[in-house]
Structure formats: structure tokens, C-alpha cells
Amino acid sequence: MRINNSAIRFRPLDIATLAYIAIEFVIVLILMVGRPGWAYLLLFYLVAAGIVILIVVFDLTVSGLFWRALRLVYPLFLFAFFYEAVGPQIFLVFDHPFDAHVVALEKMIFGIDPAFALQQYLEIWLNELMNASYISYYFMLPVSAIILLFKKR
């Protein structure tokens, strides 16, 4: 194990991730105390912050291509968990969804519900193509990171 003599360095991505965690922690602390699951969410955000800090600290002692890749893309893995953790926070400010308001706005703008108007063009192959396009963004960031990693940028 090699040890660098440099100091611990937080990259902008680390700071942004820790800032997000801190904001979510404060939101849960202020708005969710007493609601089901609030303590688990606080613990989750503390553990997530600990993971970020451990990754930054281990950057001094660990080297290699795998570590560089992990150091570059770890927020992508964390944000998958953050997405699930935000679920209980959806109705903190408003106690109802706004779906009906969005549908009403669409009807006001287009004069008809666009979802029903587009049903006549529904084809299985088109649906599959649209689903494939929709999930492709999950791969864009990791693939871009891997390409940059191998180009050593």
C-alpha cells in the first residue's frame, strides 16, 4: 500500500455530494421529525456522508485504475440510493400530488389530453424504442466517465 504525502483533497464533486447530503439532512431534521422513518433517513444521510469522507481519505493510500474509476463515479451509485430516500419526503410541504393540475394545464394548452391523443400512434416497436431511449441516460454518465478515465483526463 502506497501512501501519498499530500493532504486530503476534496474535489468539487465531493463537495457537491456532501452539500446535497447536508441539505437533505437538514430538511429531514426540520420537517420530518416525528414522522415515520425520520430517524432512519438521518442515519442514512450520516452513513452516506461517511462513505464520501472515507472515499476521499482512502484516495491518499489507494491507487490503480479501478480506484480512479470508483473515485470518479461513486456519486452515481450514491444518487441511486438518494432517489429512493427522497420518496418519503415527497409530501412534506404539500399533502397531495399535482398530477391532476398538470393534466388540467395540458388540456388547457392543447385542448385535449395529449396522452389520449397520442394513443392512436402507439405501436409496440415505438414503445420499445422510446423505453430504450429513456433508460439510455443511465449509461451516459458512467460510459463518459470510463472514456475520460482511459483518456486520462
Side-chain angles (χ1 to χ4, degrees):
M1 184 180 289
R2 141 183 107 75
I3 298 177
N4 294 336
N5 290 329
S6 58
I8 295 174
R9 286 184 294 165
F10 286 91
R11 297 176 180 171
L13 190 59
D14 305 324
I15 294 168
T17 305
L18 286 172
Y20 174 82
I21 292 170
I23 290 167
E24 284 296 324
F25 186 88
V26 169
I27 288 171
V28 170
L29 198 59
I30 292 173
L31 298 176
M32 280 194 71
V33 170
R35 293 182 185 216
W38 70 272
Y40 294 114
L41 284 173
L42 289 181
L43 179 63
F44 167 76
Y45 287 121
L46 286 174
V47 169
I51 289 170
V52 172
I53 292 169
L54 282 174
I55 287 173
V56 171
V57 169
F58 280 139
D59 195 35
L60 295 175
T61 59
V62 180
S63 64
L65 186 62
F66 175 76
W67 179 256
R68 284 181 41 219
L70 180 67
R71 182 80 165 89
L72 189 61
V73 299
Y74 80 88
L76 296 174
F77 298 113
L78 284 179
F79 275 95
F81 293 103
F82 293 157
Y83 178 81
E84 291 298 321
V86 171
Q89 301 174 40
I90 291 173
F91 298 115
L92 284 179
V93 177
F94 300 102
D95 62 351
H96 63 283
F98 287 94
D99 295 3
H101 300 291
V102 172
V103 170
L105 178 65
E106 288 174 341
K107 283 182 181 177
M108 184 180 75
I109 293 171
F110 300 112
I112 190 170
D113 187 341
F116 292 120
L118 293 173
Q119 277 185 342
Q120 62 184 331
Y121 303 109
L122 183 62
E123 296 286 338
I124 292 175
W125 68 268
L126 182 59
N127 187 43
E128 293 300 321
L129 177 66
M130 297 304 281
N131 282 329
S133 299
Y134 178 73
I135 66 166
S136 69
Y137 75 88
Y138 285 112
F139 303 105
M140 288 183 353
L141 284 175
V143 168
S144 299
I146 290 169
I147 289 170
L148 290 175
L149 182 68
F150 283 109
K151 286 188 173 186
K152 297 185 180 189
R153 286 187 177 190

